[in-house]
Each structure stands twice: as structure tokens, then as C-alpha cells.
Amino acid sequence: MDSLDARMERLEGRLRRWQGLTLGALVLAGVGLGTAALRDEAPPPHAGELVASRLVLKDAQGRTRASLEANRQGGAALVLNDSQGRPRALLGVGEDDSPRLRFSTAEGESLAELMVFSDEAPRLTLSKSGGAELFSVGLQVDGSSRLELADVTGRPRAILGADEEGSPGLLLVDRRGQPRVELRVGSSDEASLVLEGRNGQVFRAPGVQ
């Protein structure tokens, strides 16, 4: 028969093994509960949703035809390219949250652009190849409006507008940028006409109510 000391040693060994198994089970259970909690906190994915900071669409020849990108500065843009991979159209939102739509030449020069400033001041510009703006029309933040016709150098030659109270005016400018004709209707509906000659002489028509 085994001695009492031998039996006690075997009993203590079994007890230590059971303690080790119990501790391991508790650790595994804790890890499982933590993983389940993390899964519960993560937002469930939406069906059909694709998350990316940049998407590129290429044609059969490997040329980039479209790209959609959100940059680190807070802007986002969709760019469409022609058959040679050159950017021709852009729809984007700038870093200041101003949206814009732009059409460009094959060399990247803007031909037409529609932009909105400060949520309330839209502006449309038409340009010639080379960058000079020939036509622009827009609303100002103060509520006034303005239409400009320019020459081939981009200098405004005819300006038609209305101030914040709606009073209209027409200004004609010479090649040097000097006003030559000004026609206005004031806030009290009086009309005025001012003509300026090349030598500085000024003609003012009598005011008409």
C-alpha cells in the first residue's frame, strides 16, 4: 500500500492540474467575450457599399477615363478624361466647400466654369482657348448681379449689372480700360447718361424722372 505522503502528493498534483485547466478556460472565455464586444461595437457594413479614398476607371487600352477622389485637404472631385487620357471635365467641391463644374481644352485650359461662392454667389464664365475670359455672369454676396463682355485680351468692355436694390446700370469701356459711357436708373427711378470723350470732355444728359 502507498504511504500517506505519496497519496497526498498525487492528490496535490491533480489539484494543480485542475487549477491550470480552470484558469486557461477562464482566459479563453474572457478573450471570446472581448472579441464579441468589439464585433458588437463595430458598425455593420451596408449592403452594396464600397469605401475608398480614390477610384479609377480605365478603358480596354489601360487609359484612365475617369477618377473619383477625396483629398486630405477636404476637397473631392470627379474628373472625366478624353480618349487620350487628358482631363476634360471636372465636378468637384473645393476645400472651402465651394462646388464647381468645369470643362477644359485638351491642354487643360478652362473653357467654361460654373462655381458657387459662399452658398449664395453663383458665377458662370466662358473663356477662349488661351485662358482669357470673354463672358461672365454672376450674383454677388450682397445681392447685386453683374454681366461682363470682354475683348480677346480678357479686358471687360461692356458691364451690365444691378445693385443690391435692383437698380440697373450699363458701363462701356474703351481698350485702355477707361469708362466712356454710363447709363443708369437710380433707386428713385431717375435715369442718367454720361458720355466721356477721348480728350476728357464729359457730357451729362439731364436727369429724367
Side-chain angles (χ1 to χ4, degrees):
M1 295 182 63
D2 294 336
S3 65
L4 179 61
D5 292 339
R7 289 198 300 271
M8 290 297 295
E9 289 179 359
R10 288 196 296 271
L11 182 60
E12 290 177 355
R14 294 193 188 99
L15 180 59
R16 285 194 295 270
R17 286 196 295 273
W18 277 108
Q19 289 175 342
L21 292 174
T22 302
L23 179 59
L26 290 175
V27 170
L28 290 177
V31 171
L33 290 175
T35 303
L38 291 176
R39 285 200 301 267
D40 292 340
E41 292 178 0
H46 298 285
E49 180 178 311
L50 176 63
V51 179
S53 59
R54 188 169 189 267
L55 297 176
V56 177
L57 178 65
K58 294 181 178 292
D59 60 17
Q61 287 72 38
R63 292 182 293 241
T64 299
R65 299 304 303 270
S67 63
L68 178 62
E69 181 177 4
N71 58 44
R72 296 180 179 179
Q73 289 72 34
L78 169 65
V79 179
L80 303 180
N81 300 344
D82 61 17
S83 60
Q84 302 302 315
R86 297 171 298 197
R88 300 299 299 272
L90 177 144
L91 174 62
V93 176
E95 301 171 13
D96 59 351
D97 294 332
S98 296
R100 69 174 57 194
L101 174 64
R102 177 188 297 169
F103 301 98
S104 304
T105 66
E107 291 73 27
E109 299 170 341
S110 177
L111 291 177
E113 183 176 50
L114 175 62
M115 189 172 183
V116 178
F117 299 93
S118 303
D119 293 335
E120 54 185 343
R123 184 172 185 261
L124 171 66
T125 60
L126 303 179
S127 306
K128 62 171 295 186
S129 181
E133 292 183 0
L134 300 181
F135 172 89
S136 68
V137 60
L139 300 179
Q140 309 300 316
V141 177
D142 61 2
S144 61
S145 59
R146 185 181 180 95
L147 183 150
E148 294 184 1
L149 300 178
D151 58 21
V152 294
T153 66
R155 173 177 287 132
R157 299 296 301 275
I159 303 171
L160 175 65
D163 61 21
E164 60 274 14
E165 296 179 353
S167 300
L170 172 64
L171 182 66
L172 303 182
V173 180
D174 64 17
R175 288 190 296 269
R176 298 175 298 171
Q178 298 298 317
R180 303 298 294 274
V181 179
E182 182 177 4
L183 175 65
R184 293 187 57 83
V185 175
S187 58
S188 59
D189 293 335
E190 75 281 3
S192 64
L193 173 63
V194 178
L195 306 178
E196 183 174 343
R198 183 179 302 176
N199 57 2
Q201 295 178 342
V202 177
F203 169 78
R204 299 180 183 273
V208 180
Q209 296 291 335

